Amino acid sequence: MARVTADILPECLIQKILSYCSFKRAAKMSILSKTWLQAWLTLPNLKFRARYYKDVEITDTILERYRDNNIPIDTFEFLNCLESYSREVFFPPIGKWLDIALQNGVKDIVYEDPRRLVRSYPLPIFKILAAKSLRELVMEGCDLMLRGSLSGGVTNCISLRKLSLSYVRLDNNMLQTLLNSCPLIDTFILEYCPGLEKIELLNLQKIKSVSIKTRGNQRVKIQAPTLERLFCCGALEESPMLDVVEYQNLKSLELSGMNISDGFLQHLFSRSQSLESLILDNVCKGLERFKICGSQSLRILQIKDREDKVGEIDASNLVSLEYMGDQIPKLKIAKESSQLKRSHIRLDFWSGNNLNASWFRKLRIFLLSSISWSQVSLYFHKCNEINMKDLRLHHRVATPQVNVLNVYIKSRKGLPTFVDALLWSCHPRKLMLTSTVEMVTCFTDRLMYMKNSKPLYSQLKDVKAYKFDCKYEPLTERKKVYFLLDW
């Protein structure tokens, strides 16, 4: 009866099921019926991992069967984990396997070498690009400057749509040759590739998505009118310069550790009418301040800024704002963009010397810049005694509206007035406290006292507390200790 049930499914659906299984799991399922066995023997998506000699033998046997029976191959993925002493012996089979995959009409090739450039295999790049059926090429940890990689000569691969290079050794000439050979790619990924003095993406007719990560100070220049998504990540100590010449169709921009010119953002908002998402992570090295103004299309804005360089924010259709820094920002949110569906500010304040009444007044004034905040996260190394009389002398009629206040704190010095100042400046509906057991106990005792004696804080409806290790490591679900509070 089980055999009849197993044979109901068509072979194409069985192959789809097996493609989500590991090799060993798929092999076990092949005994269900002849249909399942045939589906397993003709899987179009092949994924191999070679670490020992027996892995090489198995891979070679399977691919020879695919060659002899002319079985179509859609995806060929090979993870090269061979030990160093075996690599020179087993380089020829890799070339043979690639030939079989190319002859059988492979569409996607993935080659990964976790050792990265340690006796790298000379991948025959131009021979691979000569395949008319190739759609995606992903390479990690190979050397395209070796003699074996240059076999086949320059060619054009108009079928390729995705090109990904990670930890691939190449120079500027090789990069330009590759891009000229693949003029119709729509996705390009370049990550930590040594040997490049500069990175230039020019004359790519169909490019839509570009992702670049670099540890050097290469200048990145992009001229791509069709570009929709751009991600650039550099090392903070290097801060490579970014120059984007054309970006009128850009929808998503994420920059991390990059250096941009003074007028880049202003020019961006004036030229691009489709930008929906902007993520800035420690950019603008050397700039005094920058503004985000005049965008009607911007929906999502995330800023991580350690030097408080953000000025005015004016985006009338903004629905999500996230800010992370170690100082209370001086940004000004326009009234038209103050009704945010999602808003989160995170401040990492490790120096407690300036934690006084003035600091909490400044925090309260900032929180009043938006009608409400979804989350406010505050990280303190220690807390100080706060002069609450000084706070109340500067009390404003308006009251901040914070839905969730996350507080991470270690020292309990000056705790009672510190708790008062936190609630006064943020006015949260929910409080999530993370600290030591002793600190949590003192904190919650103070909250219970305030609940019974100070109606001003009656808006606080929910309190949860967690414990972290004394090393103050980031929390995981396993480390959390939950305290139930009768609030």
Side-chain angles (χ1 to χ4, degrees):
M1 190 68 180
R3 290 175 61 87
V4 175
T5 303
D7 283 335
I8 290 177
L9 300 176
E11 185 174 327
C12 60
L13 182 56
I14 295 175
Q15 286 184 338
K16 188 70 173 178
I17 296 173
L18 293 177
S19 66
Y20 290 101
C21 302
S22 64
F23 179 81
K24 291 183 179 180
R25 180 66 175 171
K28 292 179 180 179
M29 295 177 70
S30 66
I31 66 173
L32 291 175
S33 69
K34 290 183 179 180
T35 306
W36 281 77
L37 176 60
Q38 180 62 25
W40 177 68
L41 291 173
T42 58
L43 276 175
N45 300 326
L46 302 179
K47 182 177 181 179
F48 301 102
R49 179 179 182 271
R51 184 176 182 182
Y52 304 109
Y53 179 73
K54 64 178 182 179
D55 301 325
V56 176
E57 287 187 323
I58 294 173
T59 303
D60 197 55
T61 300
I62 293 175
L63 284 169
E64 285 186 348
R65 178 171 56 80
Y66 271 74
R67 179 196 60 192
D68 296 340
N69 295 282
N70 198 25
I71 302 172
I73 299 176
D74 288 342
T75 301
F76 175 71
E77 185 172 345
F78 181 68
L79 182 59
N80 187 3
C81 299
L82 294 170
E83 299 295 337
S84 298
Y85 66 86
S86 304
R87 292 193 161 220
E88 293 183 1
V89 178
F90 296 128
F91 274 172
I94 298 177
K96 171 186 172 183
W97 302 336
L98 285 171
D99 286 341
I100 295 174
L102 294 171
Q103 291 169 10
N104 288 32
V106 67
K107 297 177 181 177
D108 304 338
I109 292 180
V110 179
Y111 175 84
E112 297 181 3
D113 189 340
R115 287 179 170 267
R116 297 171 181 167
L117 305 176
V118 179
R119 291 191 177 184
S120 300
Y121 175 71
L123 211 65
I125 181 63
F126 295 116
K127 187 175 184 180
I128 293 174
L129 293 178
K132 297 181 179 180
S133 59
L134 195 62
R135 298 178 308 184
E136 295 188 6
L137 177 59
V138 178
M139 297 180 290
E140 178 181 341
C142 57
D143 193 338
L144 298 186
M145 302 306 296
L146 298 175
R147 181 174 299 178
S149 298
L150 305 178
S151 61
V154 180
T155 185
N156 282 333
C157 185
I158 60 175
S159 61
L160 194 68
R161 294 297 178 264
K162 177 181 178 180
L163 177 62
S164 177
L165 309 173
S166 301
Y167 297 93
V168 174
R169 189 185 303 278
L170 72 168
D171 60 13
N172 295 346
N173 291 332
M174 174 58 75
L175 177 60
Q176 293 306 314
T177 301
L178 286 178
L179 295 177
N180 292 335
S181 300
C182 315
L184 301 183
I185 58 173
D186 56 42
T187 302
F188 178 65
I189 300 172
L190 184 74
E191 297 182 349
Y192 308 123
C193 293
L196 293 174
E197 297 177 356
K198 59 182 179 180
I199 301 172
E200 291 186 345
L201 306 183
L202 310 174
N203 302 321
L204 295 176
Q205 306 169 23
K206 300 291 184 180
I207 194 72
K208 292 184 178 180
S209 177
V210 171
S211 177
I212 297 175
K213 294 182 180 181
T214 175
R215 291 197 181 99
N217 58 353
Q218 302 102 322
R219 182 182 181 90
V220 180
K221 184 176 182 180
I222 301 174
Q223 183 178 9
T226 60
L227 188 63
E228 296 181 0
R229 293 173 294 276
L230 174 60
F231 169 72
C232 287
C233 177
L236 287 177
E237 62 273 10
E238 298 289 348
S239 294
M241 187 69 187
L242 174 65
D243 182 14
V244 184
V245 180
E246 294 187 65
Y247 41 74
Q248 54 264 36
N249 291 310
L250 196 62
K251 295 181 179 179
S252 175
L253 175 62
E254 182 174 355
L255 304 179
S256 176
M258 300 295 293
N259 191 3
I260 61 179
S261 61
D262 282 312
F264 178 83
L265 290 177
Q266 182 178 353
H267 193 259
L268 171 67
F269 291 120
S270 64
R271 292 290 302 276
S272 178
Q273 302 301 320
S274 57
L275 187 65
E276 298 177 357
S277 175
L278 177 61
I279 300 176
L280 303 176
D281 182 355
N282 290 312
V283 298
C284 309
K285 186 177 182 180
L287 298 182
E288 292 184 2
R289 293 186 78 77
F290 62 91
K291 296 182 179 180
I292 299 172
C293 302
S295 175
Q296 300 296 320
S297 60
L298 193 63
R299 301 288 188 274
I300 300 172
L301 176 61
Q302 296 181 24
I303 302 174
K304 183 178 180 181
D305 180 26
R306 297 288 183 185
E307 300 181 18
D308 189 20
K309 296 180 179 180
V310 186
E312 183 178 355
I313 292 180
D314 181 5
S316 58
N317 294 310
L318 199 65
V319 297
S320 177
L321 170 63
E322 296 185 45
Y323 177 90
M324 179 178 176
D326 52 14
Q327 301 181 53
I328 299 174
K330 298 177 182 178
L331 60 88
K332 176 184 177 183
I333 304 176
K335 293 182 179 179
E336 292 79 7
S337 56
S338 61
Q339 299 186 24
L340 302 170
K341 295 181 180 178
R342 171 179 168 79
S343 52
H344 186 190
I345 177 174
R346 168 174 167 170
L347 300 176
D348 297 328
F349 200 78
W350 295 109
S351 175
N353 297 330
N354 297 323
L355 279 179
N356 49 32
S358 177
W359 189 90
F360 283 99
R361 284 200 309 271
K362 185 178 178 181
L363 176 62
R364 182 184 176 105
I365 293 172
F366 167 77
L367 294 178
L368 288 171
S369 63
S370 178
I371 291 178
S372 64
W373 292 85
S374 304
Q375 287 193 67
V376 174
S377 299
L378 303 175
Y379 292 69
F380 300 106
H381 180 71
K382 62 180 180 178
C383 54
N384 298 334
E385 190 80 27
I386 306 299
N387 188 339
M388 291 303 297
K389 291 183 179 179
D390 191 17
L391 278 183
R392 294 190 180 95
L393 286 176
H394 296 82
H395 182 71
R396 290 188 167 205
V397 176
T399 303
Q401 300 294 325
V402 174
N403 186 37
V404 179
L405 174 62
N406 302 303
V407 180
Y408 301 76
I409 194 166
K410 189 173 183 180
S411 171
R412 56 169 292 185
K413 179 183 177 181
L415 180 64
T417 57
F418 193 84
V419 175
D420 295 353
L422 273 175
L423 297 184
W424 178 87
S425 58
C426 300
H427 209 73
R429 292 183 62 252
K430 299 179 181 179
L431 175 64
M432 309 288 286
L433 171 66
T434 304
S435 188
T436 60
V437 174
E438 181 184 18
M439 186 69 172
V440 166
T441 303
C442 296
F443 207 108
T444 52
D445 287 345
R446 181 63 180 177
L447 289 176
M448 295 302 293
Y449 166 76
M450 293 173 63
K451 176 187 176 183
N452 297 326
S453 62
K454 301 193 177 190
L456 177 64
Y457 303 111
S458 60
Q459 86 288 344
L460 190 59
K461 303 299 182 183
D462 187 18
V463 178
K464 292 182 175 64
Y466 302 95
K467 182 200 79 170
F468 59 66
D469 295 339
C470 58
K471 294 182 179 180
Y472 206 73
E473 297 176 348
L475 286 176
T476 62
E477 290 298 327
R478 182 176 58 84
K479 290 182 179 178
K480 287 183 178 178
V481 177
Y482 188 76
F483 292 82
L484 290 175
L485 302 176
D486 185 14
W487 192 258

